[in-house]
DNA sequence: CTTTCATCGGATATGACTATCCGTTGAGTC
DNA sequence: GACTCAACGGATAGTCATATCCGATGAAAG
């Protein structure tokens, strides 16, 4: 469901939220065991989206730009989802709609609803483990 | 969620179930408005999976290999999903499990459950419209 | 047997996503 | 100011899903 990039982004943001401090891109990649150079571009993208702040030079790195409770999951994974966001009908046709649903439509609508809950209601703060924070 | 190929496969099978008769690959592609040559390979794959039967030569084409009620949705879309099938954890890590779930885990598990219901419980017969059949 | 039709299936092209490499820039240390 | 560190960002390569083209094969019609 999430693209590889979106998954990396979410895990990186979670790591930063748990540590609560600035971390270098290379260190994040090592802790997550993901490609460093690839993750680098993802982190930069998150900076452009306003999710992260970056600091160059000695002692630099990335940190959350807002409080964890103000960062929705959708803001983290959204830039890496392209058009993978659930469509109206899983068959992508004009066959079914809310007024005249096919048998798959009801199932699909449930999935869409849960997905939207995940991306729009849940924040990074909700995902941080009690053992690490709060 | 479904790949493009899986969507084509499902729509083609639905079309065949509704018509109840053999149809040529080119005709199916035209009625669904999808690439004919691409769909051709999908239909062939469905034959190898035992979902469809094919007949070569004049008057040939594709038809369902079983009754619509005996064809689960998973059997149609499964061969085209690769590893897009929902994994245990949406983050793909060993961080969370049923015993120690993260906040996303519960949402993800719901989506997985509904998805499995769709692919394992629903059959082609359930999707055929009342207007066309039954 | 020749023609026609449609499945079969190899070869190839395209684009997006993923991934790697490396030079540049800016910031702090010495 | 020279050095070092780490974020920037362009260039490139591999992989996979998607898509197209076209010849080979098999079957029915004439």
């Amino acid at each position: 469901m999430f693209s590889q990039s979106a998954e990396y982004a979410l895990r990186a943001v979670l790591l930063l939220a748990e540590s609560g401090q600035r971390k270098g891109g290379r260190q994040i990649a090592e802790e997550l065991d993901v490609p460093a150079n690839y993750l680098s571009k993802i982190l930069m993208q998150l900076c452009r989206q306003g999710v992260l702040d970056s600091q160059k030079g000695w002692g630099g790195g990335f940190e959350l730009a807002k409080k964890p409770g103000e960062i929705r999951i959708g803001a983290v994974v959204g830039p890496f989802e392209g058009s993978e966001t659930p469509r109206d009908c899983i068959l992508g046709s004009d066959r079914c709609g809310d007024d005249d649903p096919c048998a798959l439509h009801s199932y699909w609508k449930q999935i869409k609803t849960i997905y939207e809950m995940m991306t729009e209601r849940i924040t990074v703060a909700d995902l941080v483990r009690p053992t690490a924070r709060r």
Side-chain angles (χ1 to χ4, degrees), chain A:
Chain A
M1 173 151 284
F2 286 164
S3 67
Q4 189 66 266
S5 297
E7 178 189 314
Y8 289 166
L10 190 51
R11 291 173 61 193
V13 168
L14 252 57
L15 185 68
L16 286 172
E18 282 176 355
S19 77
Q21 58 187 3
R22 188 150 60 203
K23 268 188 197 296
R26 184 158 302 183
Q27 182 183 357
I28 297 176
E30 190 173 338
E31 293 187 25
L32 296 181
D33 193 28
V34 303
N37 290 304
Y38 186 54
L39 180 67
S40 166
K41 301 199 182 307
I42 293 173
L43 296 174
M44 285 165 55
Q45 176 71 13
L46 288 173
C47 285
R48 284 192 289 271
Q49 296 292 328
V51 173
L52 298 182
D53 275 340
S54 64
Q55 186 69 28
K56 296 179 71 170
W58 197 94
F62 299 90
E63 61 189 337
L64 299 188
K66 312 171 189 173
K67 295 182 212 159
E70 294 170 347
I71 304 176
R72 292 174 293 101
I73 303 302
V76 177
V77 303
F80 307 100
E81 288 195 311
S83 58
E84 278 196 38
T85 312
R87 291 172 304 179
D88 281 352
C89 175
I90 196 172
L91 295 179
S93 72
D94 49 1
R95 283 177 48 88
C96 55
D98 279 354
D99 54 338
D100 186 17
C102 69
L104 277 189
H105 196 74
S106 58
Y107 291 88
W108 185 234
K109 190 171 184 179
Q110 287 181 59
I111 290 181
K112 270 200 311 172
T113 301
I114 297 172
Y115 181 86
E116 285 166 4
M117 287 274 291
M118 265 202 329
T119 54
E120 294 175 12
R121 297 284 179 84
I122 310 299
T123 70
V124 171
D126 298 321
L127 292 183
V128 177
R129 292 293 191 75
T131 53
R133 196 182 172 81
R134 197 257 170 90

